[in-house]
Amino acid sequence: MDLKQLEHFVAVAEERHFTRAARRLNLVQSGLSASIRSLEEDLGGPLFNRSTRRVALTPAGEVLFAEAQRVLAAARDARHAVTQVHGLARGRLSIGAIHGIAPFVDLPACLGHFRAAFGGIDIELTLDGSRALIDAVQEGRLDLAFTQPPDTSLDGIGSHLFACEGMVVVCATHHRLAGATELKLADLVDETFADLRPEWSVRRLVDRCFATSGLQRRSSFEVNDMPMLLELAAHGLAITIVPESVAAARGRNTRGAPVATATLCEAEEPCWELAAVFKGSSAGEPLVPVARAFLDLLKLPVVTT
């Protein structure tokens, strides 16, 4: 058993889905499956029940999950301690982010922890669209950006993919689609959509999915605010498609009208991805030490695309 196997195990345990875990780890699925099988053989039994659409932990898997998290946290804390010894006494951390990452990363809290650890580092934060953020990283104006990863590999750019999440249809509680499962995109073409503006990665992903399927849809509402998008759906004016965590967070919000969700069939379910993008070395590390330190603080193992 090694740290890499534990990272693979934790990713599957958190995603409850081998395909999404493989995307998150930037691995081919067969390689991830082989790593998990090797770990199970080493430990003498299955760690996952694979009989459902989303894999579930066995009792042995539950025990290992807690221990694996502890071991990986200790390893990353050790690396962070060494970083502090080498010293980041002063400097600047320039971070960019797309809108709407709160369900995945509590960025203000993370920046607060970073300030407590590295009080001499000035912090700058910019919110923008995915393309503008990636350009800023390439040009050296940002050390790190939280955004949808580039559609194609870019020279000198590395990333850590840490959210790969399915998307769901959000609608009013009285809508005909409320609670539906295994929908196909073709089932939605007669509906009125509410969408974010084209510079949002969520919008581009939805547009691309319908275009790939050769389908057209009617978008009558275009907004630049995720809460407004969900309110339009809640009041029955339109349906929308958003990441699962965004819909779940809206469902827990007791203010405003309630919403319902519907799920798409696995073959047509878009996967929304969020990554930390940075200028990377050949070894897969951010070239900027302060960006490395911030990723260590977030307890994110770094991989390249």
Side-chain angles (χ1 to χ4, degrees):
M1 184 191 314
D2 57 33
L3 289 178
K4 188 60 66 178
Q5 284 180 309
L6 290 182
E7 287 178 0
H8 295 172
F9 167 75
V10 167
V12 177
E14 290 178 342
E15 295 291 343
R16 296 295 200 269
H17 198 285
F18 271 83
T19 301
R20 291 179 190 166
R23 288 173 179 162
R24 166 175 159 178
L25 293 165
N26 198 36
L27 290 174
V28 295
Q29 187 170 338
S30 60
L32 176 60
S33 296
S35 176
I36 297 299
R37 282 196 303 271
S38 175
L39 182 60
E40 289 176 325
E41 291 170 2
D42 186 29
L43 295 177
L47 300 171
F48 296 102
N49 289 319
R50 299 169 172 84
S51 58
T52 59
R53 179 182 173 189
R54 299 189 182 214
V55 296
L57 287 165
T58 63
E62 293 281 2
V63 172
L64 180 61
F65 186 40
E67 288 301 310
Q69 288 178 308
R70 181 185 62 79
V71 170
L72 292 174
R76 290 187 288 257
D77 286 345
R79 179 177 175 182
H80 178 57
V82 171
T83 299
Q84 287 185 303
V85 170
H86 287 319
L88 285 173
R90 61 174 62 92
R92 184 193 69 172
L93 172 66
S94 183
I95 285 186
I98 57 174
H99 296 268
I101 68 169
F104 309 96
V105 176
D106 186 348
L107 194 52
C110 293
L111 292 174
H113 292 317
F114 186 82
R115 170 60 56 80
F118 301 101
I121 302 295
D122 293 329
I123 299 172
E124 297 178 357
L125 174 64
T126 300
L127 298 183
D128 211 331
S130 294
R131 183 67 263 170
L133 292 174
I134 292 171
D135 288 345
V137 170
Q138 283 188 296
E139 295 165 8
R141 292 182 282 112
L142 289 176
D143 301 316
L144 191 68
F146 292 92
T147 179
Q148 192 174 34
D151 294 331
T152 58
S153 178
L154 300 175
D155 290 341
I157 296 296
S159 70
H160 176 86
L161 183 66
F162 60 94
C164 182
E165 184 170 83
M167 298 178 72
V168 295
V169 178
V170 176
C171 58
T173 54
H174 59 271
H175 195 280
R176 70 175 185 89
L177 296 176
T181 59
E182 298 298 314
L183 290 172
K184 295 184 177 180
L185 293 176
D187 297 327
L188 309 179
V189 294
D190 292 330
E191 297 293 331
T192 298
F193 277 79
D195 284 301
L196 295 165
R197 291 179 58 82
E199 60 266 25
W200 285 64
S201 58
V202 170
R203 168 66 180 276
R204 293 201 306 276
L205 178 57
V206 173
D207 285 346
R208 186 163 61 246
C209 288
F210 276 88
T212 300
S213 298
L215 300 172
Q216 292 185 334
R217 63 195 180 97
R218 182 173 69 257
S219 181
S220 298
F221 301 89
E222 188 175 88
V223 300
N224 202 34
D225 178 76
M226 186 71 77
M228 174 61 75
L229 183 76
L230 299 176
E231 282 297 309
L232 291 169
H235 288 282
L237 294 165
I239 67 169
T240 191
I241 300 178
V242 299
E244 291 175 3
S245 292
V246 172
R250 179 60 177 77
R252 293 191 298 268
N253 186 355
T254 58
R255 298 162 60 184
V259 296
T261 59
T263 59
L264 295 161
C265 64
E266 186 173 4
E268 297 191 14
E269 179 187 48
C271 181
W272 186 81
E273 299 174 339
L274 181 66
V277 177
F278 48 83
K279 278 195 172 182
S281 68
S282 59
E285 296 279 357
L287 290 174
V288 181
V290 70
R292 261 197 322 270
F294 187 73
L295 287 182
D296 286 342
L297 189 100
L298 282 178
K299 304 190 186 306
L300 298 176
V302 178
V303 297
T304 54
T305 54

